[in-house]
Amino acid sequence: MNTEREPARSNLLLAVLMLHMVASLWHHIHNGNFADEYPNLRGDFPVWIAYIAWGVTTAVGLAGYYAVCNGRRLLGFGAMGLYAAYGLLAFGHYTLAPMSAHTLVQNATILSEGLTAVLLLVTVIVLLVKMKEA
């Protein structure tokens, strides 16, 4: 079986998914614990909401990977695409305040989640295209 055409055997897909999960967790932990320090973000933000949001959205991404591994590729890629799209919402911080108003760590967590979301979305799209060509 050619791993290039079999996304379930793609180490790249799993690696990018895990990378995004870690970056997203870092950003959600930072948001939850330091919400009052983010410019123009509500300071009374309950920490548990950040953890619940991360858990639910990550479950969608993992379920998508599971579906891809079990032959339900379109459903799985769709779920991982939604998970990646949610990660793009990290850039929403910059609609509340410019990058210069955020600290180095805030920018690092925002950019890590947002950029790994882009990477995951591109990976999903490329694998979908390759799947269609097969």
Side-chain angles (χ1 to χ4, degrees):
M1 195 178 298
N2 186 353
T3 59
E4 187 177 5
R5 295 195 184 248
E6 183 56 49
R9 294 181 179 263
S10 170
N11 290 332
L12 175 64
L13 180 61
L14 181 58
V16 171
L17 177 63
M18 290 175 60
L19 182 66
H20 179 61
M21 286 170 39
V22 170
S24 179
L25 178 60
W26 183 35
H27 184 217
H28 280 76
I29 287 172
H30 198 267
N31 265 353
N33 291 317
F34 301 102
D36 57 334
E37 295 178 17
Y38 277 79
N40 299 325
L41 197 63
R42 288 183 40 194
D44 60 344
F45 185 82
V47 175
W48 60 269
I49 289 178
Y51 300 141
I52 296 294
W54 181 82
V56 169
T57 58
T58 300
V60 170
L62 288 171
Y65 184 75
Y66 179 80
V68 169
C69 289
N70 287 292
R72 305 209 49 194
R73 293 185 190 147
L74 194 56
L75 175 67
F77 285 135
M80 284 193 285
L82 284 174
Y83 177 54
Y86 171 77
L88 294 174
L89 292 176
F91 292 128
H93 283 283
Y94 298 132
T95 64
L96 298 174
M99 188 180 274
S100 60
H102 293 81
T103 67
L104 178 65
V105 175
Q106 289 168 346
N107 281 315
T109 66
I110 293 165
L111 291 172
S112 68
E113 182 173 17
L115 293 175
T116 58
V118 169
L119 184 61
L120 178 59
L121 193 55
V122 167
T123 302
V124 165
I125 291 168
V126 166
L127 289 173
L128 267 171
V129 169
K130 285 185 177 190
M131 181 181 81
K132 192 149 181 91
E133 291 174 354

